[in-house]
Amino acid sequence: MAKRDKERKADLITDPNDERFETLSEKEQLELLQKYDPESNTRDLAGVFGKIVFFGLLAFSIFQLYTSIGTPFTAYIQRSIHLGFALSLIFILFPARKKPGIKRNKVPFYDIILSVLSIGVGLYWPLNMDELILRVGRVSDLDLIVGIIAVLLTMEAARRAVGLPITIISAVFLVYAFLGPYFPGFLAHRGQDIDSLVQLMFYTTDGILGTPISVSATFIFVFLLFGAFLVKTGVGNYFNDLAVVLAGRLTGGPAKVAIFSSALQGTISGSSVANVVGSGSYTIPMMKKLGYRKEFAGGVEAAASTGGQIMPPIMGAAAFLMVEFIGGVTYWEIAKAASIPALLYFTGIWIMTHFEAKRIGLEGMSPEEIPNRKETLKKIYLLLPIIGIIVFLLLGIPTMKAALLGIVLTLIVSSFNKETRLSFKDIIQALVDGARTALAVAAATACAGIIVGVVVKTGLGLSLANGLVSAAGGNILLTLIFTMFAAIVLGMGSPTTANYVITSTIAAPAIITLLMLDTPDATVPVVVAISAHLFVFYFGIIADITPPVALAAFAASGISGGDPIKTGVTSAKLAIAAFIIPYMFVFNPAMLMIDSSIGEIIWVTATAIIGMIAIGAGLIGYWYRKLNWIERIITAATGLMLIYPETKTDFIGLGLFVILFAIQLVTKDKHKNKEEETATV
């Protein structure tokens, strides 16, 4: 061990021209995104098709802003036009195959046909609104054809823009809807014929035009536009500079910069992979330069970037779906409930990077590498739009209006300085970029609507919830474990939006059922609903850093040059809090700041943070000195007792923590002298 640590210290990079400190070019970043992020795997179009896409995306944003300011259209019309815009642009932008060598500057004839069909599907409701309402519950031959085309186009668009897993899952659910009588036991149902299924999928608000795409067409789109406008002000680069100024000089500085920067980047990026490539191309080379191993540097960035989706005030797209699925709650209540878990998540990563730096003898960045503090802090006004969003939500302003005000505030704030001022061209480009980002979300939510429709029509949600409870023998802990594995498996390679839709309709009801066993006929309390939905939301996100399919970690390894699987294992270890905390807030809702006193919230938070220190020390194998394997087990177990939401375990854990802490302080000098003697020899 000493020899290996000595080699790592000798591996410190002193030459800034060393290849390990080279940041990725824009072209290399794009290639990495296209490899690991389906949303970025688009054609590079110019000429006529380039203009079609540009003006199509611009029109998409203008339509969405128009409908966001007021409500000029019915739900069917707004959602179908939203769907038509997204599908038609996806078939022009996203190639059918992702293999190298496929021409990315041409649009084949069949994609032009699919795009035109998508426009027809999007306009079918607006052009036939009155007739469709008159024959509600029945479908004509033309309705049937259009409905089938809509389902097939939605699944193919999702495959291209989001990935194959969600398409396979939606296809399986459609087969299940048809073949219901042939399934065994509680899975059996009477089955659906083609007419009733098409009616459900495209002519009701329970299928493709259901709640998921409704959220995409309202909250999510406007927040994505807000993020696009923030990017245009240069706030992404400012996040990096601010993180370096605040954390660069600390022990293991670049790793803490990555954590701080990625938490902020999550506000403007809805993708773990995009967050990794955006901030990781800057932070990972810095971590390698300081002396962190390739896999550790990539793991830190992957874990921190993935956590960006659970970081309030603006979380991942699925958080907006949660508002609609739970009902009776505001987005602010969801963001507030997620605040302490997010704090503990990033605290856990921070602690482990600190202990790893101490273990291998790393310090902070040199003064020459730190941007001018005064100049950096002068631009702190760039954060005003984010602060403004928080204030708007606190004042009770509706979520969509808060996002619109955030865009206006961004335009105002950008004018404070010539460097950040947005020109008319910048504003147009922000509208185009926001719409481009929304395409994959629209495809994912439309495809997720297929799944939700089948679940609602067949009663599968209740059947699976009862089956899950039965398989777990009514044990809440086993049910949570089964749910965790289901969410992680479903989340491997698929977006968290779709993952959340599936698990919230299938697994979340099982958790709620068990939590409500004592009062089965009562209305589900908000705290129970939020804890169950946040549980599946967390594990769907963590799938991005859980091997064997850990896309965020694989993208980070592409930057660091480390082994992808080892990077994934390291990122999962660093994000250990995300595997523990969801269990804690299900058992102790005080962590969600709902129906709890200030004293309870402070106690739960303080003991959990102390517990994360102990767990971090146990996993890294270092505190004030190196820990042997017995000490590591005891220290980690102490941390678990502190995090477990029981007063008895808290006090036992605190007692053990104090003892372990005292032992570390007393013996650290002795061990240090021994290590120095070994190193000298």
Side-chain angles (χ1 to χ4, degrees), residues 144-400:
L144 184 65
I145 293 169
V146 172
I148 291 172
I149 291 173
V151 171
L152 294 176
L153 289 175
T154 298
M155 292 172 67
E156 171 59 10
R159 183 191 71 81
R160 294 188 185 197
V162 183
L164 188 59
I166 187 174
T167 306
I168 293 174
I169 293 169
S170 59
V172 168
F173 272 77
L174 286 174
V175 170
Y176 173 75
F178 276 115
L179 303 180
Y182 301 100
F183 280 82
F186 67 87
L187 291 176
H189 63 94
R190 64 177 185 172
Q192 303 293 318
D193 58 35
I194 186 71
D195 284 11
S196 62
L197 197 57
V198 169
Q199 167 75 19
L200 170 73
M201 287 300 151
F202 194 63
Y203 300 102
T204 71
T205 53
D206 287 326
I208 291 172
L209 301 181
T211 299
I213 202 169
S214 166
V215 177
S216 171
T218 51
F219 307 122
I220 296 175
F221 194 101
V222 183
F223 269 97
L224 290 174
L225 272 183
F226 171 67
F229 275 91
L230 275 180
V231 169
K232 278 297 171 186
T233 65
V235 75
N237 292 330
Y238 180 68
F239 284 156
N240 289 334
D241 289 343
L242 182 63
V244 173
V245 165
L246 296 179
R249 296 296 303 278
L250 302 177
T251 301
K256 292 172 181 175
V257 168
I259 298 165
F260 194 83
S261 174
S262 295
L264 291 172
Q265 290 280 4
T267 300
I268 59 175
S269 170
S271 164
S272 300
V273 175
N275 200 353
V276 165
V277 175
S279 59
S281 59
Y282 174 72
T283 59
I284 289 175
M286 286 199 304
M287 285 187 269
K288 289 169 62 182
K289 179 188 177 185
L290 190 69
Y292 281 112
R293 290 173 291 121
K294 293 176 181 179
E295 287 78 14
F296 193 88
V300 169
E301 182 57 52
S305 290
T306 299
Q309 291 192 71
I310 60 174
M311 187 68 184
I314 304 172
M315 301 157 66
F320 296 98
L321 283 169
M322 201 180 300
V323 175
E324 297 298 313
F325 279 19
I326 293 176
V329 298
T330 63
Y331 178 77
W332 173 249
E333 289 177 279
I334 300 294
K336 186 181 77 170
S339 297
I340 292 177
L343 170 67
L344 295 176
Y345 178 87
F346 284 101
T347 298
I349 303 173
W350 186 286
I351 287 166
M352 280 189 266
T353 58
H354 178 81
F355 286 148
E356 176 72 4
K358 285 287 188 182
R359 189 176 75 83
I360 58 178
L362 304 182
E363 297 180 356
M365 299 169 68
S366 65
E368 294 76 23
E369 296 173 300
I370 308 294
N372 185 287
R373 178 180 290 268
K374 187 176 179 181
E375 291 299 317
T376 301
L377 294 179
K378 271 185 183 179
K379 296 180 181 178
I380 198 74
Y381 64 84
L382 288 173
L383 300 183
L384 283 176
I386 299 172
I387 297 169
I389 289 281
I390 300 172
V391 173
F392 298 147
L393 292 172
L394 275 171
L395 292 174
I397 294 174
T399 309
M400 194 160 59

Side-chain angles (χ1 to χ4, degrees), residues 77-98:
I77 291 178
Q78 184 187 9
R79 296 173 195 181
S80 62
I81 293 176
H82 180 82
L83 178 69
F85 263 119
L87 296 185
S88 60
L89 289 165
I90 284 171
F91 288 118
I92 297 295
L93 264 175
F94 290 81
R97 292 187 294 167
K98 314 292 186 182

Side-chain angles (χ1 to χ4, degrees), residues 110-127:
Y110 54 83
D111 278 347
I112 297 173
I113 294 171
L114 293 177
S115 183
V116 171
L117 286 173
S118 298
I119 294 171
V121 165
L123 292 176
Y124 194 71
W125 261 103
L127 295 176

Side-chain angles (χ1 to χ4, degrees), residues 592-659:
L592 301 178
M593 295 192 285
I594 302 175
D595 299 332
S596 302
S597 67
I598 296 295
E600 287 177 312
I601 293 169
I602 292 173
W603 175 260
V604 166
T605 305
T607 54
I609 289 174
I610 295 170
M612 287 310 306
I613 294 172
I615 289 174
L619 289 176
I620 296 298
Y622 190 94
W623 198 341
Y624 283 96
R625 60 169 175 78
K626 289 181 181 177
L627 306 177
N628 60 45
W629 67 272
I630 295 176
E631 290 174 321
R632 293 177 69 170
I633 292 172
I634 295 172
T635 305
T638 298
L640 288 173
M641 280 191 281
L642 282 162
I643 293 177
Y644 188 75
E646 287 287 344
T647 304
K648 184 177 179 181
T649 56
D650 282 346
F651 280 109
I652 294 173
L654 280 173
L656 286 172
F657 184 88
V658 170
I659 293 169

